[in-house]
Amino acid sequence: MLRKSNGWVPHRLMDPSPLTAEKMTPEASEVSMSLSADRPALLVLADGTSYRGWSFGATGTTIGEVVFNTGMTGYQEVLTDPSYCGQIVTFTYPELGNTGVNPDDEESQRPQVRGAIARNICKRPSNWRSTQSLPDYLTQNNIPGIYGIDTRALTRKIRMVGAMNGGISTEILDPNELLAQVQAAPSMKGLNLVPEVSTSTVYEWTETTDPHWEFSPQAQGMNGETFTVVALDFGIKRNILRRLSSYGCRVIVVPANTSAEEILKHNPDGIFLSNGPGDPAAVLQGVETAKQLLTSEKPMFGICLGHQILGLSLGSDTFKLKFGHRGLNQPAGLTGQVEITSQNHSFALSDDSLGSEVEITHLNLNDRTIAGLRHKSLPVFSVQYHPEASPGPHDADYIFKRFVDSMREARTAAASAS
């Protein structure tokens, strides 16, 4: 059964005719300079709730899991983060696109989201780094978006009911018709999306953080030492690669389906398991590879999906969160020191399934889910959050130094043994 949103409905959405200049208030003029050119758009959730708004970005129909991000900045990094593959992102900050887009803030080669939802959008960005408006950027990359809806009501809906599939369309404006497509789409649980975002070839990454933006005096090549790191690409963000390079690592990126044997042929000092989208329990090959790599006793470090894959390889289970953690102000800690972290994940490790050889190092202080772990005897650790930021605070950047320190200790121990 279809239900309409019971939240506030923008006045102009109640009038199906295009908003003319005579009807437009001064406040609305900046949001849309030519509303007569804006197509009506429809958002329908899997439970039948529907929202009518206006299109920005590409036209057409898209289906994905509807989630929300609470960050007040960093929309371009969010849109291009491969971890959002398969999802339609609701931005809770009411103004989107004010600073436009630029090539430097892309976390991958293109937007990875299925769609975008906003309250207001800006068609005339104002920023010295901007090269393109957000609507034009999404149009160019064939990503549909809807704006003009009550994103506060939608966010409350997701918090109360949970993340669910939804669809955005500019061509299907009958809610019942769009609902049928939404309900036929597979749910995120059990979905392996890694093949959609992983690299198909091996490559070496050399770019560091721009010296003008470097925020950590601990980086800067770490005294000229070089450590070879093989990074399994489950959907890796570029800024993770930059931080590894800035900390003196030679980074070799390999496809997610690379075997443990092929990884060890690179003779790495350390192994990195990247972030990525979908259900970690469905990434069976990645979990098996991580399990085999544990026997090498090489230093291993995982972030987000990599953290979950590492936990699964150590015998833990995962479960799906009701609405996930997506934002830039998630507190994490355990021993009295709190880090404010950037997070983006739908799943978490189960604490009652961890083996005795695994120690929890961080908890999400909002809901006490596992945010970090380490092995008690092996040089292996991971975090659920994103220490590379981009967007987000830099509180946890020291995690990269910890990885480098573990590789240095392993190298020293190997030299002493020989």
Side-chain angles (χ1 to χ4, degrees):
M1 178 179 178
L2 284 167
R3 296 195 296 273
K4 293 183 179 179
S5 164
N6 58 3
W8 171 78
V9 179
H11 171 74
R12 66 188 182 87
L13 299 186
M14 300 175 67
D15 180 358
S17 61
L19 190 64
T20 63
E22 290 75 20
K23 295 179 183 177
M24 192 184 300
T25 64
E27 293 80 6
S29 61
E30 174 58 25
V31 174
S32 182
M33 299 158 299
S34 178
L35 287 176
S36 61
D38 289 353
R39 288 174 173 261
L42 176 68
L43 166 66
V44 172
L45 302 182
D47 71 349
T49 307
S50 64
Y51 302 79
R52 293 191 181 274
W54 301 88
S55 168
F56 76 102
T59 57
T61 301
T62 188
I63 309 292
E65 183 184 50
V66 180
V67 299
F68 64 86
N69 184 291
T70 59
M72 296 177 67
T73 186
Y75 56 82
Q76 187 178 352
E77 291 94 329
V78 168
L79 293 169
T80 56
D81 182 349
S83 296
Y84 280 105
C85 176
Q87 295 178 321
I88 297 173
V89 181
T90 305
F91 291 89
T92 63
Y93 189 67
E95 302 289 338
L96 201 67
N98 291 4
T99 55
V101 299
N102 67 84
D104 294 335
D105 287 344
E106 292 185 322
E107 286 299 317
S108 62
Q109 63 184 359
R110 58 181 174 80
Q112 303 287 347
V113 299
R114 294 275 174 84
I117 302 170
R119 173 64 190 96
N120 292 333
I121 54 111
C122 176
K123 294 183 176 180
R124 284 184 176 175
S126 178
N127 186 275
W128 64 275
R129 301 170 69 225
S130 175
T131 59
Q132 195 174 22
S133 73
L134 176 61
D136 289 346
Y137 179 67
L138 293 183
T139 300
Q140 176 183 311
N141 288 280
N142 200 32
I143 305 295
I146 184 172
Y147 81 100
I149 72 168
D150 188 349
T151 50
R152 293 175 298 178
L154 176 57
T155 300
R156 290 185 64 186
K157 174 82 173 179
I158 296 170
R159 281 183 59 89
M160 290 186 293
V161 179
M164 69 186 84
N165 281 347
I168 297 173
S169 184
T170 60
E171 56 191 2
I172 304 173
L173 300 181
D174 176 0
N176 287 296
E177 185 180 349
L178 185 55
L179 177 62
Q181 291 196 23
V182 170
Q183 293 181 336
S187 66
M188 187 62 69
K189 188 172 177 60
L191 208 56
N192 180 8
L193 294 171
V194 168
E196 294 188 28
V197 295
S198 180
T199 180
S200 59
T201 59
V202 178
Y203 65 93
E204 187 168 336
W205 180 275
T206 58
E207 180 185 339
T208 62
T209 301
D210 188 316
H212 294 95
W213 304 105
E214 180 56 65
F215 47 81
S216 175
Q218 301 177 102
Q220 300 297 332
M222 294 293 290
N223 302 318
E225 293 179 282
T226 300
F227 299 93
T228 299
V229 173
V230 172
L232 271 80
D233 179 12
F234 299 116
I236 199 165
K237 289 176 61 182
R238 288 175 175 173
N239 211 48
I240 291 176
L241 297 172
R242 294 188 190 103
R243 296 315 292 154
L244 288 170
S245 293
S246 292
Y247 275 92
C249 298
R250 172 182 174 243
V251 185
I252 301 170
V253 185
V254 299
N257 61 1
T258 305
S259 68
E261 181 182 7
E262 288 297 318
I263 290 168
L264 294 175
K265 283 182 179 178
H266 293 284
N267 193 27
D269 295 291
I271 298 161
F272 175 73
L273 308 179
S274 86
N275 64 293
D279 186 342
V283 190
L284 299 177
Q285 186 172 356
V287 174
E288 181 59 30
T289 298
K291 190 178 299 185
Q292 294 173 17
L293 289 169
L294 287 171
T295 64
S296 72
E297 300 190 4
K298 298 269 187 183
M300 289 178 63
F301 170 33
I303 288 177
C304 201
L305 181 67
H307 158 81
Q308 297 160 355
I309 287 175
L310 184 60
L312 287 166
S313 72
L314 290 167
S316 180
D317 298 321
T318 55
F319 66 97
K320 195 172 189 299
L321 297 164
K322 184 176 182 179
F323 50 81
H325 303 153
R326 296 175 185 84
L328 314 181
N329 60 350
Q330 299 276 338
L334 188 65
T335 58
Q337 182 172 350
V338 178
E339 301 163 23
I340 302 302
T341 66
S342 174
Q343 298 197 19
N344 168 27
H345 59 108
S346 297
F347 294 82
L349 291 172
S350 172
D351 56 2
D352 59 7
S353 62
L354 286 176
S356 59
E357 74 280 6
V358 180
E359 178 183 10
I360 296 173
T361 60
H362 299 77
L363 293 175
N364 183 302
L365 299 180
N366 286 331
D367 62 7
R368 311 297 290 182
T369 53
I370 297 174
L373 59 81
R374 72 174 182 88
H375 197 281
K376 292 180 180 179
S377 59
L378 297 175
V380 170
F381 69 98
S382 61
V383 289
Q384 180 65 80
Y385 50 86
H386 285 265
E388 81 284 355
S390 194
H394 304 142
D395 293 25
D397 188 69
Y398 71 92
I399 296 287
F400 292 98
K401 181 179 183 298
R402 177 178 295 176
F403 184 40
V404 170
D405 288 343
S406 70
M407 290 188 287
R408 181 183 297 108
E409 291 169 6
R411 179 182 288 180
T412 301
S416 299
S418 61

mmCIF file of all heavy atoms in Angstrom, residues 32-64:
data_model
loop_
_atom_site.group_PDB
_atom_site.id
_atom_site.type_symbol
_atom_site.label_atom_id
_atom_site.label_comp_id
_atom_site.label_asym_id
_atom_site.label_seq_id
_atom_site.Cartn_x
_atom_site.Cartn_y
_atom_site.Cartn_z
ATOM 1 N N SER A 32 16.921 27.653 -7.698
ATOM 2 C CA SER A 32 16.696 27.276 -9.086
ATOM 3 C C SER A 32 16.473 28.522 -9.915
ATOM 4 O O SER A 32 15.554 29.278 -9.671
ATOM 5 C CB SER A 32 15.483 26.350 -9.193
ATOM 6 O OG SER A 32 15.299 25.950 -10.511
ATOM 7 N N MET A 33 17.329 28.740 -10.900
ATOM 8 C CA MET A 33 17.252 29.944 -11.705
ATOM 9 C C MET A 33 16.304 29.771 -12.872
ATOM 10 O O MET A 33 15.870 30.725 -13.470
ATOM 11 C CB MET A 33 18.650 30.314 -12.198
ATOM 12 C CG MET A 33 19.620 30.590 -11.057
ATOM 13 S SD MET A 33 21.329 30.392 -11.565
ATOM 14 C CE MET A 33 21.357 28.684 -12.052
ATOM 15 N N SER A 34 15.972 28.530 -13.195
ATOM 16 C CA SER A 34 15.091 28.277 -14.325
ATOM 17 C C SER A 34 14.250 27.047 -14.024
ATOM 18 O O SER A 34 14.443 25.987 -14.588
ATOM 19 C CB SER A 34 15.913 28.073 -15.602
ATOM 20 O OG SER A 34 15.061 27.788 -16.684
ATOM 21 N N LEU A 35 13.312 27.218 -13.100
ATOM 22 C CA LEU A 35 12.542 26.072 -12.648
ATOM 23 C C LEU A 35 11.674 25.487 -13.744
ATOM 24 O O LEU A 35 11.270 24.336 -13.677
ATOM 25 C CB LEU A 35 11.681 26.451 -11.440
ATOM 26 C CG LEU A 35 12.466 26.641 -10.131
ATOM 27 C CD1 LEU A 35 11.547 27.106 -9.034
ATOM 28 C CD2 LEU A 35 13.152 25.353 -9.721
ATOM 29 N N SER A 36 11.382 26.280 -14.747
ATOM 30 C CA SER A 36 10.574 25.746 -15.833
ATOM 31 C C SER A 36 11.304 24.637 -16.579
ATOM 32 O O SER A 36 10.693 23.825 -17.245
ATOM 33 C CB SER A 36 10.202 26.865 -16.819
ATOM 34 O OG SER A 36 11.374 27.429 -17.381
ATOM 35 N N ALA A 37 12.657 24.603 -16.432
ATOM 36 C CA ALA A 37 13.439 23.567 -17.088
ATOM 37 C C ALA A 37 13.619 22.340 -16.207
ATOM 38 O O ALA A 37 14.128 21.322 -16.656
ATOM 39 C CB ALA A 37 14.814 24.117 -17.477
ATOM 40 N N ASP A 38 13.235 22.436 -14.939
ATOM 41 C CA ASP A 38 13.397 21.309 -14.022
ATOM 42 C C ASP A 38 12.282 20.296 -14.223
ATOM 43 O O ASP A 38 11.102 20.632 -14.217
ATOM 44 C CB ASP A 38 13.374 21.797 -12.568
ATOM 45 C CG ASP A 38 14.629 22.562 -12.204
ATOM 46 O OD1 ASP A 38 15.546 22.596 -13.024
ATOM 47 O OD2 ASP A 38 14.672 23.123 -11.097
ATOM 48 N N ARG A 39 12.668 19.031 -14.371
ATOM 49 C CA ARG A 39 11.688 17.967 -14.531
ATOM 50 C C ARG A 39 11.152 17.539 -13.169
ATOM 51 O O ARG A 39 11.898 17.474 -12.198
ATOM 52 C CB ARG A 39 12.341 16.747 -15.183
ATOM 53 C CG ARG A 39 12.676 16.892 -16.651
ATOM 54 C CD ARG A 39 13.453 15.660 -17.078
ATOM 55 N NE ARG A 39 13.680 15.639 -18.511
ATOM 56 C CZ ARG A 39 12.957 14.936 -19.383
ATOM 57 N NH1 ARG A 39 11.953 14.205 -18.943
ATOM 58 N NH2 ARG A 39 13.229 14.961 -20.664
ATOM 59 N N PRO A 40 9.881 17.194 -13.094
ATOM 60 C CA PRO A 40 9.385 16.557 -11.880
ATOM 61 C C PRO A 40 10.097 15.225 -11.680
ATOM 62 O O PRO A 40 10.471 14.557 -12.644
ATOM 63 C CB PRO A 40 7.897 16.352 -12.156
ATOM 64 C CG PRO A 40 7.568 17.309 -13.253
ATOM 65 C CD PRO A 40 8.816 17.416 -14.083
ATOM 66 N N ALA A 41 10.290 14.844 -10.428
ATOM 67 C CA ALA A 41 10.931 13.570 -10.107
ATOM 68 C C ALA A 41 10.174 12.920 -8.959
ATOM 69 O O ALA A 41 9.514 13.598 -8.168
ATOM 70 C CB ALA A 41 12.393 13.770 -9.738
ATOM 71 N N LEU A 42 10.284 11.611 -8.886
ATOM 72 C CA LEU A 42 9.573 10.836 -7.870
ATOM 73 C C LEU A 42 10.555 9.940 -7.133
ATOM 74 O O LEU A 42 11.402 9.294 -7.741
ATOM 75 C CB LEU A 42 8.487 9.980 -8.524
ATOM 76 C CG LEU A 42 7.701 9.026 -7.609
ATOM 77 C CD1 LEU A 42 6.823 9.815 -6.638
ATOM 78 C CD2 LEU A 42 6.842 8.075 -8.456
ATOM 79 N N LEU A 43 10.436 9.918 -5.800
ATOM 80 C CA LEU A 43 11.180 8.993 -4.955
ATOM 81 C C LEU A 43 10.178 8.077 -4.264
ATOM 82 O O LEU A 43 9.229 8.547 -3.637
ATOM 83 C CB LEU A 43 12.000 9.746 -3.906
ATOM 84 C CG LEU A 43 12.579 8.926 -2.747
ATOM 85 C CD1 LEU A 43 13.630 7.939 -3.264
ATOM 86 C CD2 LEU A 43 13.163 9.830 -1.673
ATOM 87 N N VAL A 44 10.373 6.779 -4.386
ATOM 88 C CA VAL A 44 9.504 5.799 -3.726
ATOM 89 C C VAL A 44 10.367 4.835 -2.928
ATOM 90 O O VAL A 44 11.363 4.307 -3.447
ATOM 91 C CB VAL A 44 8.654 5.020 -4.761
ATOM 92 C CG1 VAL A 44 7.911 3.871 -4.079
ATOM 93 C CG2 VAL A 44 7.656 5.948 -5.438
ATOM 94 N N LEU A 45 10.007 4.616 -1.661
ATOM 95 C CA LEU A 45 10.696 3.650 -0.813
ATOM 96 C C LEU A 45 10.007 2.294 -0.888
ATOM 97 O O LEU A 45 8.847 2.193 -1.280
ATOM 98 C CB LEU A 45 10.715 4.138 0.640
ATOM 99 C CG LEU A 45 11.363 5.498 0.902
ATOM 100 C CD1 LEU A 45 11.328 5.806 2.399
ATOM 101 C CD2 LEU A 45 12.783 5.545 0.374
ATOM 102 N N ALA A 46 10.717 1.256 -0.478
ATOM 103 C CA ALA A 46 10.205 -0.110 -0.588
ATOM 104 C C ALA A 46 8.962 -0.342 0.248
ATOM 105 O O ALA A 46 8.193 -1.266 -0.028
ATOM 106 C CB ALA A 46 11.289 -1.109 -0.196
ATOM 107 N N ASP A 47 8.752 0.483 1.290
ATOM 108 C CA ASP A 47 7.547 0.311 2.107
ATOM 109 C C ASP A 47 6.342 1.064 1.544
ATOM 110 O O ASP A 47 5.269 1.066 2.133
ATOM 111 C CB ASP A 47 7.798 0.727 3.555
ATOM 112 C CG ASP A 47 7.964 2.239 3.723
ATOM 113 O OD1 ASP A 47 8.096 2.956 2.701
ATOM 114 O OD2 ASP A 47 7.981 2.704 4.880
ATOM 115 N N GLY A 48 6.535 1.705 0.387
ATOM 116 C CA GLY A 48 5.437 2.392 -0.273
ATOM 117 C C GLY A 48 5.385 3.888 -0.053
ATOM 118 O O GLY A 48 4.585 4.584 -0.691
ATOM 119 N N THR A 49 6.232 4.419 0.841
ATOM 120 C CA THR A 49 6.264 5.868 1.051
ATOM 121 C C THR A 49 6.785 6.560 -0.209
ATOM 122 O O THR A 49 7.761 6.112 -0.812
ATOM 123 C CB THR A 49 7.171 6.230 2.232
ATOM 124 O OG1 THR A 49 6.767 5.486 3.376
ATOM 125 C CG2 THR A 49 7.091 7.712 2.556
ATOM 126 N N SER A 50 6.133 7.645 -0.601
ATOM 127 C CA SER A 50 6.554 8.351 -1.816
ATOM 128 C C SER A 50 6.776 9.823 -1.534
ATOM 129 O O SER A 50 6.146 10.411 -0.647
ATOM 130 C CB SER A 50 5.505 8.188 -2.924
ATOM 131 O OG SER A 50 4.285 8.788 -2.550
ATOM 132 N N TYR A 51 7.700 10.409 -2.278
ATOM 133 C CA TYR A 51 8.043 11.826 -2.165
ATOM 134 C C TYR A 51 8.143 12.386 -3.582
ATOM 135 O O TYR A 51 8.820 11.802 -4.435
ATOM 136 C CB TYR A 51 9.391 12.019 -1.465
ATOM 137 C CG TYR A 51 9.503 11.440 -0.081
ATOM 138 C CD1 TYR A 51 9.722 10.070 0.104
ATOM 139 C CD2 TYR A 51 9.411 12.253 1.044
ATOM 140 C CE1 TYR A 51 9.845 9.528 1.369
ATOM 141 C CE2 TYR A 51 9.541 11.718 2.324
ATOM 142 C CZ TYR A 51 9.753 10.369 2.486
ATOM 143 O OH TYR A 51 9.872 9.833 3.738
ATOM 144 N N ARG A 52 7.505 13.512 -3.810
ATOM 145 C CA ARG A 52 7.608 14.170 -5.115
ATOM 146 C C ARG A 52 8.532 15.367 -5.006
ATOM 147 O O ARG A 52 8.472 16.132 -4.047
ATOM 148 C CB ARG A 52 6.230 14.599 -5.622
ATOM 149 C CG ARG A 52 5.328 13.410 -5.957
ATOM 150 C CD ARG A 52 4.076 13.832 -6.706
ATOM 151 N NE ARG A 52 3.220 12.678 -6.982
ATOM 152 C CZ ARG A 52 3.351 11.889 -8.032
ATOM 153 N NH1 ARG A 52 4.311 12.151 -8.922
ATOM 154 N NH2 ARG A 52 2.547 10.858 -8.212
ATOM 155 N N GLY A 53 9.406 15.504 -5.990
ATOM 156 C CA GLY A 53 10.344 16.615 -5.998
ATOM 157 C C GLY A 53 10.703 16.991 -7.420
ATOM 158 O O GLY A 53 9.913 16.806 -8.346
ATOM 159 N N TRP A 54 11.929 17.477 -7.567
ATOM 160 C CA TRP A 54 12.404 17.948 -8.860
ATOM 161 C C TRP A 54 13.744 17.307 -9.177
ATOM 162 O O TRP A 54 14.537 17.000 -8.284
ATOM 163 C CB TRP A 54 12.522 19.476 -8.865
ATOM 164 C CG TRP A 54 11.223 20.150 -8.570
ATOM 165 C CD1 TRP A 54 10.721 20.474 -7.338
ATOM 166 C CD2 TRP A 54 10.225 20.554 -9.501
ATOM 167 N NE1 TRP A 54 9.483 21.062 -7.451
ATOM 168 C CE2 TRP A 54 9.156 21.125 -8.775
ATOM 169 C CE3 TRP A 54 10.139 20.492 -10.898
ATOM 170 C CZ2 TRP A 54 8.011 21.627 -9.387
ATOM 171 C CZ3 TRP A 54 8.996 21.006 -11.509
ATOM 172 C CH2 TRP A 54 7.953 21.569 -10.758
ATOM 173 N N SER A 55 13.990 17.106 -10.435
ATOM 174 C CA SER A 55 15.185 16.398 -10.872
ATOM 175 C C SER A 55 16.405 17.313 -10.917
ATOM 176 O O SER A 55 16.315 18.467 -11.324
ATOM 177 C CB SER A 55 14.942 15.803 -12.258
ATOM 178 O OG SER A 55 16.144 15.353 -12.849
ATOM 179 N N PHE A 56 17.554 16.791 -10.474
ATOM 180 C CA PHE A 56 18.838 17.408 -10.807
ATOM 181 C C PHE A 56 19.794 16.274 -11.150
ATOM 182 O O PHE A 56 19.716 15.182 -10.613
ATOM 183 C CB PHE A 56 19.369 18.279 -9.665
ATOM 184 C CG PHE A 56 19.955 17.532 -8.494
ATOM 185 C CD1 PHE A 56 21.328 17.420 -8.328
ATOM 186 C CD2 PHE A 56 19.122 16.967 -7.527
ATOM 187 C CE1 PHE A 56 21.858 16.758 -7.236
ATOM 188 C CE2 PHE A 56 19.651 16.310 -6.426
ATOM 189 C CZ PHE A 56 21.026 16.200 -6.279
ATOM 190 N N GLY A 57 20.667 16.514 -12.082
ATOM 191 C CA GLY A 57 21.502 15.436 -12.586
ATOM 192 C C GLY A 57 20.848 14.771 -13.778
ATOM 193 O O GLY A 57 20.065 15.374 -14.523
ATOM 194 N N ALA A 58 21.143 13.490 -13.972
ATOM 195 C CA ALA A 58 20.654 12.765 -15.139
ATOM 196 C C ALA A 58 19.169 12.455 -15.018
ATOM 197 O O ALA A 58 18.609 12.394 -13.919
ATOM 198 C CB ALA A 58 21.439 11.472 -15.306
ATOM 199 N N THR A 59 18.521 12.272 -16.148
ATOM 200 C CA THR A 59 17.136 11.821 -16.163
ATOM 201 C C THR A 59 17.122 10.297 -16.257
ATOM 202 O O THR A 59 18.125 9.661 -16.589
ATOM 203 C CB THR A 59 16.386 12.415 -17.355
ATOM 204 O OG1 THR A 59 17.074 12.056 -18.573
ATOM 205 C CG2 THR A 59 16.306 13.929 -17.252
ATOM 206 N N GLY A 60 15.969 9.703 -15.969
ATOM 207 C CA GLY A 60 15.854 8.253 -16.021
ATOM 208 C C GLY A 60 15.394 7.689 -14.689
ATOM 209 O O GLY A 60 14.809 8.401 -13.859
ATOM 210 N N THR A 61 15.673 6.404 -14.470
ATOM 211 C CA THR A 61 15.250 5.694 -13.263
ATOM 212 C C THR A 61 16.441 4.981 -12.652
ATOM 213 O O THR A 61 17.252 4.384 -13.365
ATOM 214 C CB THR A 61 14.159 4.659 -13.601
ATOM 215 O OG1 THR A 61 13.042 5.333 -14.188
ATOM 216 C CG2 THR A 61 13.703 3.907 -12.352
ATOM 217 N N THR A 62 16.561 5.049 -11.324
ATOM 218 C CA THR A 62 17.624 4.351 -10.628
ATOM 219 C C THR A 62 17.069 3.716 -9.359
ATOM 220 O O THR A 62 16.173 4.274 -8.713
ATOM 221 C CB THR A 62 18.787 5.308 -10.284
ATOM 222 O OG1 THR A 62 19.884 4.547 -9.759
ATOM 223 C CG2 THR A 62 18.380 6.362 -9.267
ATOM 224 N N ILE A 63 17.587 2.544 -9.001
ATOM 225 C CA ILE A 63 17.153 1.804 -7.821
ATOM 226 C C ILE A 63 18.372 1.533 -6.946
ATOM 227 O O ILE A 63 19.436 1.174 -7.452
ATOM 228 C CB ILE A 63 16.501 0.455 -8.194
ATOM 229 C CG1 ILE A 63 15.405 0.650 -9.247
ATOM 230 C CG2 ILE A 63 15.951 -0.245 -6.943
ATOM 231 C CD1 ILE A 63 14.195 1.389 -8.776
ATOM 232 N N GLY A 64 18.233 1.690 -5.639
ATOM 233 C CA GLY A 64 19.325 1.395 -4.716
ATOM 234 C C GLY A 64 18.845 1.452 -3.288
ATOM 235 O O GLY A 64 17.680 1.771 -3.010
#
